[in-house]
Amino acid sequence: MELKTPIPLKSEHESLLAEIHAAGRLDDGTGKAARLVARLLERHFALEDEFVFPPLGLLPDLARGTVEPEMAAAVVMASKLHDEMTNLLAVQRTIVAALEELMAVAEAEGHPELVGFAESLMLHEEMERDVTYPTAILIGKYLQLKLK
């Protein structure tokens, strides 16, 4: 069984990246700030695709009570997430700081839509920190118990 990032999570990240890349094409301070956010998000999202999101793809099966030996890869991924949590949260703080800068510059330069977008991205990062990461870790712990 191959662990895969759930399509809604993958689509959301693609949409967020498309929007920040579009903002990065602006030829002003807002564009410069958006390009920094884009670089930070690309690296951050790549890590999430590597070991945070794939265990979440097991949720429908786990909710039905299905546990298979091939799901053990999620235990390894969740363990890596647990080990990398401090680093991931530090990167999130850097992203939020970059988003705050984007908001300030966008407001000053007359791009109110990007202020709202930056606020949405901050909420996205908060949701990952408070919901997504703990869920992925719990999936790993649950599978570790069930697969013993």
Side-chain angles (χ1 to χ4, degrees):
M1 166 180 286
E2 182 182 349
L3 301 183
K4 294 183 182 179
T5 295
I7 291 172
L9 294 175
K10 186 174 183 70
S11 295
E12 180 182 24
H13 274 186
E14 288 170 355
S15 176
L16 292 171
L17 285 174
E19 194 158 345
I20 197 67
H21 283 296
R25 288 192 283 279
L26 293 169
D27 192 25
D28 57 10
T30 301
K32 182 179 178 183
R35 289 188 293 277
L36 171 61
V37 170
R39 283 192 304 276
L40 292 169
L41 286 177
E42 285 171 350
R43 284 184 250 142
H44 183 63
F45 287 176
L47 287 176
E48 290 176 338
D49 286 338
E50 181 184 329
F51 59 86
V52 177
F53 288 165
L56 297 174
L58 296 175
L59 280 170
D61 288 331
L62 296 175
R64 286 189 293 274
T66 303
V67 175
E68 298 175 4
E70 297 83 18
M71 294 176 171
V75 174
V76 174
M77 290 179 184
S79 178
K80 183 171 183 175
L81 169 57
H82 182 270
D83 293 345
E84 291 292 326
M85 185 67 80
T86 301
N87 294 332
L88 283 171
L89 296 178
V91 170
Q92 280 191 327
R93 287 189 296 276
T94 302
I95 290 168
V96 168
L99 287 167
E100 288 170 346
E101 176 64 19
L102 173 60
M103 288 170 62
V105 175
E107 188 170 342
E109 293 181 345
H111 301 288
E113 72 286 356
L114 293 177
V115 173
F117 175 69
E119 289 171 343
S120 295
L121 265 171
M122 286 178 175
L123 187 60
H124 171 87
E125 291 302 315
E126 186 177 335
M127 186 268 309
E128 287 183 341
R129 181 192 71 226
D130 294 345
V131 178
T132 305
Y133 296 171
T135 301
I137 290 170
L138 284 173
I139 289 168
K141 289 181 178 185
Y142 173 78
L143 286 170
Q144 190 172 27
L145 292 171
K146 294 298 259 183
L147 294 171
K148 278 190 174 180

